[in-house]
Amino acid sequence: MPLPTSRRRFRAVVRRPRLPLLRAPGRPALATLLTASALAGAYAVQAVAALAPHVPLLLAATALSLVVEGVLYRWQRGVPALFAKAHADVTVRHVLRDLLLVVGLLRLGEQHRETQYAPLLAGLLLCYALHCAIQAVSVLVRRTRTLPVVTRNIDASALRLSPAPPALLRRPGHRLLVFGLPATAGLTATAVTDDARCAAAGIVLSLALALGGLAVLSLRLLPGRRPAGEQEVLAWFDAWLAEYRPTVGLYFSGGPSSVYQAGMWLEPLARLDGRPLIVLRERYMVSRIPATDIPVVCLPKVPTLMRLEHSTLQVLIHPSNSGKTSQVLRIPTIKHAFVNHGESDKLSSCNPYAKAYDEVWVAGPAARERYALAEVGVEDKDVVEIGRPQLDAVRPYAGPPTGTYVTVLYAPTWEGWDGNPGNTSVIAAGENLVRALLADPGVRLLYKPHPLTGSVDPRAGAADRRIREMVRAANRTRPGPRPAPSKELAARTAELDRLTAAEFREGADQVERMLVQSAPPAGRAEAVARATEAWEAAYWASLPEWEHQVVVDARPSLYSCFDVADLLISDVSSVISDFLASGKPYAVTNTGGLTEETFRARFPTVAAATVLTPDATGVPALLETVRHPEKDGLAEERAELRLRLLGPSEPSSQERFAEAVRALGSAAHRHRARVTARSAPAPVPGQRLPAPTAALAGPAGDGTPGSALAER
């Protein structure tokens, strides 16, 4: 029975990326295979040498296995995990290595000397027992240092935070390799010298190291050495919320590669008048959020997250959807707004999940129309136009390039999850576009691929690598003076790193990071902004004006690339909408097999763009319109499209964003007041007074209080 169309499409999307991996394993996979084979071969040779017995071969195989183990934990950390899945973890491998040495000693010695090696074997067994004990205590220590709340930019010293134990004691593979090395070396020396004292000395030293490590870890379990317990931490967190009194927050949950989605909203959030807060759900994300002075709290468990219900937090903005978003939406005292991490004509910009939020904040009228046409359940009254606060600082168009070169920014998007070939131009058109741009001697290319390029379709990753090599090759053959390394850039980099990069010692855990990343000094945010601006100016000034660039690091930002670019070439993505803030020319690649008329009709953001085909034949004419603005017939269309996509310039996007926060916060406050009024207990009826008597009645006997009651 044939599969339904949707299921066939899903299966094709899921399976397509896997086939190239099976056909042509990359260099990392080959290195992993060779390293694993070398380790397995070393054990096999060691077994043969122990049974032979053959001392030189035994010595060489043992040394080789130790060297390969060191390589694994230094450069091939995925291989130990593969061995562990085959029940050949580091403990088993180490026991096997030492037991093969013992077997070799027994084969080399005479039968009556077997009793001489019995104490050595007992010592080895004790070493492994201590290894297990250290691991058990290490797990207990790790649990005491796994707090229910992880913070950053908050003074949490009241939680008795302390530096982490040595990393060697917390990593079983490294620990066993180091602590067991003296015993292995002693056994090897005994095999060579036939002197059992060498093995005894090595085993004693291994025992001493293991006992010392066990003692160091055990001290961490003493009441005064442990961080605060779970209930104490939660009580501290409640007290901090009551003292800080947050009003607006950013909620984010996602993988490491999606952190940029939250990063673009940090500065607009920091510029609000209220008391902002960043709420995360994954512990590893705390250190990945870019530099900011906003307090950061990570609440991994739902019960801890629910404590926000009783805080002063009124509004949470959401730059992305995730499975864990539904958990925070259950808090009725907080209003939720979906702000997205960019707007485009893709279906992902009109996700039906958006109807779960109280409001959907969009840039301009085009997004409002997009939701209405998509019919995903988002009502028009819940859509609020706020512009794009991130774009307020983008420099406007200042005329054609005045220098020797036209700077072209090629910023393609990634391949997406739906398998649509028109999502990214990297696969079908990327190399043709770059080749055409590099062929023009008056072009300087900035190539900035999406961070997720190649994460779904390996063909995109392969094309991305080829494009980077094309850019490097073009730079090698392009003549031009290369300036000396910029001292200004080095100084600016050092200053910016000093302000933004927290210095952790190797092996620091989350508790130690909380201790180091405490409340920031006053004025750091302003200093970071000034240092970033100075760094960007020094960075672009340090580059030869003729040199092409591959921009993949966090710095410079995409918006900084906008400022130096004269032209953008991209795909249907939010990059187009953002670039329109500059008013500069842009082009969009049509790689989905659509006619240009259909392409423009389906994607409104293309209305003011030059449409390029996969063969890149339109690149020379496009560059001509950039050099000669009088040939640019799309300038007015860009201005109109900018207004439609991003909204008016006045008031600024930041002001509209702040007003939306205030309005939704007021709605949250009114909602709380209504709920409180409804849940308030009914007033207890007062005591019924007795019927008035003649003595208490008024002169007319109408029951009004008389003089006697008045005197009381």
Side-chain angles (χ1 to χ4, degrees):
M1 179 179 178
L3 289 171
T5 303
S6 59
R7 187 172 299 179
R8 289 199 303 269
R9 185 179 303 165
F10 173 78
R11 181 169 293 181
V13 170
V14 172
R15 288 183 176 177
R16 189 182 299 118
R18 297 182 179 273
L19 294 177
L21 293 177
L22 295 176
R23 292 173 183 169
R27 292 182 180 179
L30 181 61
T32 298
L33 180 62
L34 291 176
T35 307
S37 300
L39 184 59
Y43 280 109
V45 173
Q46 189 183 13
V48 172
L51 295 173
H54 192 283
V55 174
L57 190 59
L58 180 63
L59 180 63
T62 303
L64 177 61
S65 67
L66 287 172
V67 170
V68 175
E69 288 278 5
V71 171
L72 291 182
Y73 285 100
R74 183 64 178 88
W75 292 290
Q76 295 284 339
R77 297 186 178 182
V79 179
L82 295 177
F83 277 106
K85 292 180 180 179
H87 296 281
D89 60 7
V90 62
T91 305
V92 173
R93 297 196 303 272
H94 208 83
V95 170
L96 179 60
R97 184 187 302 112
D98 288 349
L99 288 182
L100 287 175
L101 287 173
V102 173
V103 170
L105 291 176
L106 294 176
R107 294 282 294 166
L108 288 169
E110 300 177 1
Q111 186 174 3
H112 70 277
R113 297 181 62 187
E114 293 182 2
T115 57
Q116 182 179 357
Y117 297 123
L120 301 181
L121 185 59
L124 278 177
L125 294 176
L126 183 57
C127 285
Y128 297 126
L130 286 176
H131 166 71
C132 295
I134 294 174
Q135 182 60 22
V137 176
S138 175
V139 170
L140 293 176
V141 172
R142 184 175 69 247
R143 289 181 178 177
T144 63
R145 298 180 65 84
T146 303
L147 305 183
V149 178
V150 183
T151 66
R152 179 175 143 191
N153 298 335
I154 297 174
D155 183 5
S157 56
L159 301 180
R160 300 192 301 276
L161 307 179
S162 62
L168 181 64
L169 299 179
R170 295 181 281 124
R171 298 172 181 172
H174 294 74
R175 182 180 66 238
L176 185 58
L177 190 63
V178 173
F179 286 6
L181 184 60
T184 303
L187 291 170
T188 306
T190 298
V192 176
T193 64
D194 198 26
D195 187 350
R197 291 177 296 180
C198 297
I203 292 174
V204 169
L205 181 55
S206 291
L207 287 172
L209 291 174
L211 287 171
L214 182 61
V216 170
L217 284 176
S218 298
L219 291 175
R220 294 288 185 140
L221 296 177
L222 296 177
R225 301 288 300 275
R226 293 198 303 260
E230 180 176 359
Q231 295 305 317
E232 188 177 352
V233 172
L234 294 178
W236 170 87
F237 179 59
D238 291 340
W240 180 83
L241 285 175
E243 179 183 0
Y244 181 64
R245 298 185 61 80
T247 56
V248 58
L250 181 145
Y251 178 91
F252 187 74
S253 172
S257 59
S258 61
V259 68
Y260 73 94
Q261 299 173 356
M264 66 173 58
W265 285 99
L266 296 182
E267 187 175 350
L269 186 67
R271 294 204 299 263
L272 294 175
D273 293 334
R275 290 176 293 279
L277 177 68
I278 298 174
V279 181
L280 306 176
R281 301 302 306 281
E282 291 80 20
R283 295 176 183 271
Y284 62 80
M285 193 62 71
V286 175
S287 60
R288 295 179 182 270
I289 291 292
T292 179
D293 284 359
I294 302 174
V296 179
V297 296
C298 177
L299 311 175
K301 296 182 179 180
V302 176
T304 310
L305 179 69
M306 291 298 113
R307 305 180 91 88
L308 295 177
E309 180 177 357
H310 305 291
S311 71
T312 57
L313 192 61
Q314 298 173 346
V315 176
L316 275 178
I317 65 173
H318 300 257
S320 67
N321 298 311
S322 71
K324 295 180 180 179
T325 302
S326 61
Q327 298 170 351
V328 74
L329 292 178
R330 293 161 52 188
I331 300 179
T333 58
I334 300 176
K335 293 293 184 179
H336 303 269
F338 181 59
V339 295
N340 213 335
H341 52 274
E343 293 185 8
S344 71
D345 293 323
K346 293 180 181 177
L347 293 177
S348 58
S349 292
C350 294
N351 194 311
Y353 200 110
K355 63 186 176 184
Y357 301 94
D358 295 289
E359 291 183 352
V360 176
W361 295 354
V362 299
R368 180 187 294 275
E369 298 169 8
R370 191 180 303 125
Y371 272 106
L373 293 174
E375 297 183 359
V376 293
V378 176
E379 298 185 23
D380 185 73
K381 65 180 180 62
D382 296 328
V383 178
V384 179
E385 299 175 24
I386 64 168
R388 288 277 286 166
Q390 300 86 351
L391 305 178
D392 285 349
V394 172
R395 299 173 191 167
Y397 178 64
T402 56
T404 307
Y405 298 94
V406 175
T407 300
V408 180
L409 172 62
Y410 177 39
T413 189
W414 66 304
E415 54 270 29
W417 297 113
D418 58 2
N420 190 333
N423 284 342
T424 178
S425 60
V426 170
I427 299 175
E431 293 169 84
N432 293 334
L433 289 170
V434 170
R435 190 177 296 111
L437 292 169
L438 296 178
D440 190 318
V443 166
R444 178 180 69 156
L445 173 63
L446 306 180
Y447 174 56
K448 187 173 178 60
H450 193 282
L452 295 179
T453 299
S455 60
V456 171
D457 193 336
R459 295 178 302 168
D464 172 55
R465 290 188 291 271
R466 291 194 296 269
I467 291 174
R468 298 188 192 197
E469 181 54 37
M470 291 172 62
V471 174
R472 288 190 288 265
N475 282 333
R476 288 193 295 267
T477 60
R478 197 170 202 184
R482 179 171 295 278
S486 172
K487 295 182 180 179
E488 174 72 11
L489 179 60
R492 297 299 184 185
T493 302
E495 174 66 11
L496 190 55
D497 288 343
R498 183 185 66 81
L499 292 170
T500 60
E503 295 183 0
F504 305 109
R505 68 181 183 89
E506 186 177 0
D509 62 0
Q510 290 177 340
V511 169
E512 183 173 344
R513 290 171 181 261
M514 287 175 60
L515 179 64
V516 174
Q517 291 183 306
S518 185
R524 189 185 67 170
E526 293 77 7
V528 170
R530 291 192 299 268
T532 301
E533 184 177 358
W535 182 91
E536 290 177 347
Y539 172 80
W540 295 115
S542 69
L543 300 177
E545 64 172 354
W546 54 266
E547 187 179 55
H548 309 294
Q549 302 295 326
V550 176
V551 184
V552 293
D553 295 330
R555 301 194 299 251
S557 67
L558 176 63
Y559 301 142
S560 179
C561 294
F562 285 177
D563 289 340
V564 299
D566 301 302
L567 167 69
L568 168 71
I569 299 178
S570 186
D571 306 322
V572 176
S573 69
S574 60
V575 174
I576 296 175
S577 302
D578 288 352
F579 190 76
L580 275 168
S582 68
K584 300 175 184 177
Y586 72 102
V588 183
T589 54
N590 178 12
T591 57
L594 304 175
T595 64
E596 180 173 337
E597 181 180 2
T598 304
F599 186 61
R600 290 184 182 275
R602 182 170 299 181
F603 304 110
T605 53
V606 185
T610 298
V611 176
L612 297 177
T613 54
D615 58 10
T617 54
V619 168
L622 172 64
L623 294 173
E624 187 69 12
T625 62
V626 176
R627 294 186 173 105
H628 303 284
E630 66 276 6
K631 299 180 180 181
D632 180 10
L634 297 172
E636 293 183 4
E637 285 82 351
R638 286 197 301 273
E640 294 176 0
L641 186 60
R642 181 197 181 283
L643 183 63
R644 186 162 171 256
L645 291 178
L646 303 177
S649 300
E650 295 295 335
S652 68
S653 294
Q654 181 64 35
E655 292 174 319
R656 284 184 281 160
F657 174 55
E659 177 56 33
V661 170
R662 284 192 293 268
L664 194 56
S666 298
H669 180 73
R670 292 192 299 270
H671 175 264
R672 291 192 185 194
R674 291 194 300 269
V675 171
T676 302
R678 287 196 298 266
S679 60
V684 179
Q687 185 177 4
R688 180 176 298 176
L689 296 176
T693 61
L696 297 179
D702 57 0
T704 56
S707 59
L709 182 60
E711 291 176 355
R712 293 183 184 180

